[in-house]
Amino acid sequence: MSEVHLTINSQSVTASRGQTILAAARTAGIDIPTLCYHPALSSHGACRMCLVEVKGMRGLQTACTCPVAEGIQVETNTEAVIEGRRFALELLFSERNHYCMYCPVSGDCELQELAYRYGLDHWRYPRTYHKMAVDASNHHFVMDPNRCILCTRCVRACAEIAANHTLGLRERGSRSMIMADVSVPLGESSCVNCGACLQVCPTGALIDARGVYGGHEEDLTHTLTTCIQCSVGCALDVVTRGNRLLRVEGVWDSDPSGGLLCVDGCFKPLYDERQRITTPQIRRNGRLTPADWDEALDIAAKKLKNGSALGLAACATTNEALSTFARLFARNKAGRMEPAAPQLGYGRSAQLQDILAADLIVVAGAHPLSHQRVVGYFIKRAVDQGAHLALLDLTGSDLEDYATLLVNSEDAGLLIEKAAHVERAVVVYGVDLTPGAIKALKPLVDQSLFLALDAARNGKGAEAVGLEPLDVEEAEVLYFLLGEQRENGAMVGRLNGAFTIVQACYYSPLIEHADVVLPTPLWAERSGHFTNLEGKVSSLNAALPMPENVREEAEVLDTLIAML
Amino acid sequence: MGKITVATQWLEACAGCHMSFLDIDERIMELLKQVELTSSPLTDLKHPPQEGVDVGILTGAVGNEDEWAEAREMRERARFLVAMGDCAVFGGICTMRNFFDRDDVLIRGYVENESTVDGQVPCHEDLAPLTRYVKSVGEVVPVDVYLPGCPPSADAIWYVLGELAAGRVPKPERELLKYGLDGA
Ligand code: SF4
Ligand code: SF4
Ligand code: SF4
Ligand code: SF4
């Protein structure tokens, strides 16, 4: 990339050709205010906050869209620039309802902050009093168009990050509105609740329904951790105040998803209504009753010592817990409860980011839009950028609308033909991969990368310690490591009178049949490590303390090992 | 230097701005050395003196005909007019009724209110008729100094009065410029 030399406020700056003035200034540590600009999104140039003067050019330029050029002289703080910014701000305040006194984001609002910066102590323009209905039809967040400045950050986030294209701008002069689909309430729209729009909104127009009024930024704690709701393992920023969980955000520029989340990571865990287990319990005279840890562990250890035992782990926990679990059952049989994607026996593995760079994506035996949703969104993003999507032996897939090729493994020739014309193909496959498909995909081995979607959350962590998929079988003692995995009663009929120990976070039908129950922390309380489907290890950091009588699984399993 | 004369009045407001003024606490003794308070809602004298004052302070929005008259009177009698608080500066919470028809608002408030039995809209020659729109002070008369906030902090009020007493025109900035409750 060739270099360009320019001056900004008389300071010499070197930039690369094609960079915008804004990017060049930020690299050089020169501040230019922005509002509709967001580093994770394409530039829009609509808010006029980043106005600058370029010597010799007529009028003022928007620094976020204006490219650098050799020798230009840029001024970022002239009187004309400041007056232009102030004028734009005053219009924004006059157009809608910006009475900060009853706005939940007052004190943390980018628009308000700019108004302070430019000393807006009153508005010179009369206000309009258009009545605009608040859209609270979505369970997780509220849209209040009265606070909206039409910066379109949300529209761009929905299109560029989530590739969902739910949001759009309905242009009607001063009555322009952000709308969902063809102007339907958000709750009835195609929105998948990824939370991206909410996270980029600079004002109080998009508001988290749960965390709202939870406190100002200065009162809040941000804990970076990893989502363990599926095998993608997106980076999370968990926002708390004291011991209160307010909301979850994505982390820009983070591995593996770059800040994108899905409803399972961003919202659902905060609305989990299952009843929490907060103390160990043992069965006495046929009834589960609270017990102290020593007593419960004592009984569990005695049973494990004296009978044939089988350990089954839902991989909804840390690497540490899984490896201790494997050690506990070293002399018995243990495995994971979820199936794994079949071994192909060929092919190099892909990283998530490879999907975005692919020109052909083949999906087989997997439903990423429902189970590893961010993978699904990545695929849609690649399709938006022109990649072909082929579905192999996949019927009823919610990816069908985006596919250009639907093939059976018998007609795999079509797929091979297509692959011959592309440079970078990625094959995304899952547990339902058919033997036919395994054979059909083999010819793609040279130009393709392969991404296995694990059905278990921490399947890779389990794989690393040798916990293979295993079905329940006859044993005197059955030990289930469930964590917060949902249990719908499927195991209940298969206990065959075994003494049943369950280590779990929530009550479930299985708990009602257990003999010993040991409580576990939930996702936001966990510390340790997680291995995602790419094999990358990331850390879990507790954002909330565990309830008093709850212990980390690894610690409990370690104690049991010591007792045997 | 002699004392400056100050008159204050509240229009359509909750009195919070005047309360925040009292929150300058013991500094009021210092202030009274520089400032002579003439009329205010807290004193016997309610209208600014005919001969005029150096500084007039209006809190609250303008929503009925009396308030229009009070705003005009203060403007005529004050050399410097300060609009204090979000209601005076922007119209504030009082402008909520601008989204509705004036008569509908009265009926909702006095007749249909859930806690009202046999209510009726008050009507008496001493009651000032509501204007169609609630406006900020600046939309009604020219204002010299704006101090937003709901209410403005005692520090911001202290700053504004101190500057005026010292013969300077205040311009609240940074920590002293806050909207809504953000200053709290
Ligand atoms: S969105 Fe920002 S500027 Fe608008 S009312 Fe809320 S805090 Fe104030
Ligand atoms: S939550 Fe995601 S899908 Fe829904 S509107 Fe926002 S960005 Fe689009
Ligand atoms: S809702 Fe928020 S992000 Fe979307 S246009 Fe309005 S202010 Fe911008
Ligand atoms: S894709 Fe998986 S890891 Fe990422 S936010 Fe959703 S559930 Fe969590």
Side-chain angles (χ1 to χ4, degrees):
Chain A
M1 225 185 292
S2 61
E3 280 188 352
V4 173
H5 306 88
L6 62 153
T7 67
I8 304 179
N9 303 340
S10 307
Q11 179 183 332
S12 309
V13 170
T14 309
S16 30
R17 192 168 300 282
Q19 252 188 331
T20 61
I21 293 178
L22 179 68
R26 294 222 162 145
T27 314
I30 298 166
D31 176 52
I32 297 175
T34 52
L35 195 51
C36 71
Y37 170 84
H38 190 284
L41 306 171
S42 64
S43 287
H44 182 48
C47 75
R48 314 215 24 100
M49 222 34 57
C50 67
L51 289 176
V52 293
E53 240 178 275
V54 180
K55 213 169 171 188
M57 286 176 92
R58 279 187 53 197
L60 300 173
Q61 313 300 318
T62 46
C64 74
T65 53
C66 186
V68 292
E70 186 61 38
I72 57 168
Q73 291 166 283
V74 181
E75 289 292 333
T76 68
N77 275 318
T78 64
E79 232 165 81
V81 161
I82 287 171
E83 194 36 52
R85 287 177 192 154
R86 195 173 284 148
F87 177 68
L89 281 169
E90 282 192 66
L91 285 186
L92 290 177
F93 273 89
S94 309
E95 271 164 8
R96 302 254 163 129
N97 187 340
H98 291 286
Y99 287 131
C100 306
M101 76 193 86
Y102 29 90
C103 180
V105 300
S106 181
D108 297 323
C109 168
E110 292 183 41
L111 174 65
Q112 186 189 58
E113 186 52 41
L114 282 164
Y116 289 161
R117 176 165 167 183
Y118 288 98
L120 244 68
D121 58 9
H122 69 293
W123 308 326
R124 282 175 296 181
Y125 308 105
R127 285 200 37 214
T128 59
Y129 290 99
H130 297 317
K131 230 196 263 182
M132 296 185 186
V134 173
D135 183 352
S137 61
N138 182 313
H139 190 52
H140 300 121
F141 59 90
V142 175
M143 178 174 274
D144 182 353
N146 298 285
R147 312 283 196 212
C148 174
I149 55 171
L150 303 172
C151 70
T152 74
R153 275 194 195 179
C154 56
V155 177
R156 284 173 282 150
C158 192
E160 297 168 14
I161 299 183
N164 211 55
H165 306 277
T166 299
L167 299 178
L169 183 65
R170 186 176 67 205
E171 308 254 16
R172 292 217 185 114
S174 70
R175 292 211 185 210
S176 292
M177 289 277 270
I178 299 297
M179 58 169 186
D181 296 336
V182 282
S183 219
V184 300
L186 258 170
E188 294 161 25
S189 74
S190 59
C191 168
V192 293
N193 283 283
C194 71
C197 56
L198 182 62
Q199 196 172 325
V200 297
C201 180
T203 69
L206 285 169
I207 291 297
D208 183 80
R210 189 179 193 273
V212 63
Y213 295 114
H216 283 157
E217 193 49 45
E218 62 193 11
D219 310 317
L220 308 181
T221 308
H222 291 260
T223 308
L224 296 187
T225 185
T226 305
C227 178
I228 60 163
Q229 307 301 329
C230 88
S231 55
V232 180
C234 300
L236 298 185
D237 178 351
V238 182
V239 184
T240 51
R241 181 177 189 181
N243 290 345
R244 199 173 147 224
L245 177 57
L246 294 181
R247 62 176 191 271
V248 168
E249 294 185 349
V251 183
W252 304 119
D253 290 331
S254 66
D255 252 355
S257 70
L260 173 59
L261 301 178
C262 81
V263 64
D264 296 331
C266 189
F267 294 118
K268 277 197 189 155
L270 286 78
Y271 293 83
D272 205 320
E273 281 174 354
R274 286 179 288 170
Q275 199 194 342
R276 186 85 192 264
I277 303 168
T278 51
T279 179
Q281 294 168 54
I282 54 179
R283 193 165 293 279
R284 289 187 180 102
N285 308 323
R287 283 177 58 100
L288 267 187
T289 45
D292 59 35
W293 274 100
D294 288 345
E295 200 179 0
L297 290 176
D298 215 39
I299 295 176
K302 275 206 188 94
K303 289 286 177 183
L304 286 169
K305 212 185 288 185
N306 299 328
S308 67
L310 181 73
L312 284 168
C315 310
T317 184
T318 57
N319 291 349
E320 286 81 355
L322 290 169
S323 85
T324 320
F325 187 74
R327 271 200 290 129
L328 176 63
F329 289 93
R331 280 175 295 123
N332 286 293
K333 214 168 171 188
R336 56 183 264 192
M337 297 168 81
E338 304 89 346
Q343 298 285 339
L344 292 181
Y346 58 79
R348 288 165 299 145
S349 22
Q351 303 288 298
L352 224 64
Q353 293 290 333
D354 294 325
I355 293 174
L356 297 180
D359 36 25
L360 170 67
I361 298 157
V362 184
V363 178
H367 296 278
L369 273 182
S370 318
H371 301 132
Q372 299 85 5
R373 299 180 202 263
V374 161
V375 175
Y377 305 156
F378 269 41
I379 293 173
K380 284 170 67 182
R381 247 155 85 172
V383 169
D384 278 348
Q385 286 155 25
H388 291 285
L389 174 63
L391 305 182
L392 178 63
D393 285 350
L394 214 54
T395 47
S397 165
D398 34 16
L399 279 171
E400 245 168 53
D401 290 346
Y402 315 95
T404 44
L405 191 63
L406 303 174
V407 279
N408 297 322
S409 35
E410 292 91 64
D411 318 320
L414 279 172
L415 185 60
I416 312 300
E417 207 175 293
K418 186 120 217 159
H421 296 103
V422 304
E423 284 173 21
R424 293 172 305 271
V426 172
V427 177
V428 176
Y429 65 98
V431 287
D432 299 327
L433 192 68
T434 56
I438 298 184
K439 225 166 96 204
L441 288 167
K442 190 147 191 207
L444 299 184
V445 68
D446 286 333
Q447 78 265 53
S448 308
L449 297 170
F450 294 80
L451 187 67
L453 299 186
D454 208 308
R457 307 165 187 221
N458 197 358
K460 281 276 189 247
E463 193 182 301
V465 296
L467 294 170
E468 300 290 331
L470 187 66
D471 207 4
V472 200
E473 44 190 79
E474 192 99 8
E476 285 163 89
V477 182
L478 282 175
Y479 193 122
F480 293 93
L481 176 61
L482 285 187
E484 63 207 273
Q485 183 68 36
R486 238 168 234 289
E487 199 284 321
N488 54 15
M491 290 298 149
V492 170
R494 311 183 59 190
L495 302 175
N496 270 329
F499 186 86
T500 306
I501 305 168
V502 185
Q503 208 172 349
C505 186
Y506 292 111
Y507 283 94
S508 67
L510 183 58
I511 298 293
E512 283 158 33
H513 293 83
D515 297 293
V516 175
V517 178
L518 306 170
T520 74
L522 51 72
W523 60 283
E525 298 161 2
R526 288 182 185 282
S527 312
H529 294 85
F530 178 86
T531 310
N532 84 342
L533 53 84
E534 302 167 302
K536 284 187 190 140
V537 176
S538 47
S539 50
L540 300 177
N541 301 302
L544 293 171
M546 290 185 278
E548 202 183 343
N549 225 358
V550 171
R551 293 187 189 166
E552 292 272 7
E553 289 118 316
E555 181 197 327
V556 172
L557 292 161
D558 250 333
T559 314
L560 282 173
I561 291 174
M563 290 168 82
L564 293 184
Chain B
M1 198 167 61
K3 289 187 180 185
I4 59 164
T5 49
V6 173
T8 78
Q9 179 61 288
W10 75 45
L11 307 174
E12 199 155 308
C14 70
C17 291
H18 274 80
M19 292 304 127
S20 195
F21 172 46
L22 295 179
D23 276 346
I24 67 177
D25 297 333
E26 72 280 1
R27 285 178 287 182
I28 203 159
M29 304 308 292
E30 184 62 33
L31 190 72
L32 287 175
K33 286 187 198 150
Q34 302 164 48
V35 164
E36 183 192 329
L37 200 57
T38 59
S39 68
S40 82
L42 317 165
T43 55
D44 289 342
L45 188 62
K46 301 295 182 200
H47 290 271
Q50 297 238 328
E51 64 276 18
V53 288
D54 295 317
V55 176
I57 299 175
L58 288 177
T59 70
V62 183
N64 68 33
E65 288 175 11
D66 277 2
E67 287 158 4
W68 273 76
E70 307 243 26
R72 266 193 238 112
E73 181 187 69
M74 186 63 94
R75 176 67 277 184
E76 278 158 19
R77 297 182 183 182
R79 260 192 299 290
F80 264 99
L81 182 61
V82 181
M84 185 163 112
D86 278 353
C87 296
V89 172
F90 306 123
I93 198 162
C94 314
T95 60
M96 218 195 280
R97 83 159 163 87
N98 290 353
F99 289 95
F100 307 93
D101 180 79
R102 179 183 46 190
D103 293 334
D104 289 349
V105 172
L106 287 171
I107 290 167
R108 181 76 183 85
Y110 286 102
V111 182
E112 296 170 354
N113 195 326
E114 285 71 3
S115 61
T116 300
V117 181
D118 295 337
Q120 57 181 30
V121 175
C123 172
H124 188 273
E125 60 193 29
D126 287 349
L127 289 175
L130 298 186
T131 50
R132 168 64 189 90
Y133 285 110
V134 177
K135 294 185 177 243
S136 68
V137 172
E139 288 176 281
V140 175
V141 294
V143 169
D144 302 302
V145 175
Y146 293 91
L147 177 59
C150 184
S153 67
D155 286 347
I157 296 172
W158 168 253
Y159 159 79
V160 164
L161 291 175
E163 289 295 290
L164 287 167
R168 293 186 292 263
V169 181
K171 171 100 177 95
E173 279 176 338
R174 288 178 292 274
E175 280 313 297
L176 302 179
L177 175 63
K178 294 285 176 187
Y179 313 145
L181 281 168
D182 188 25

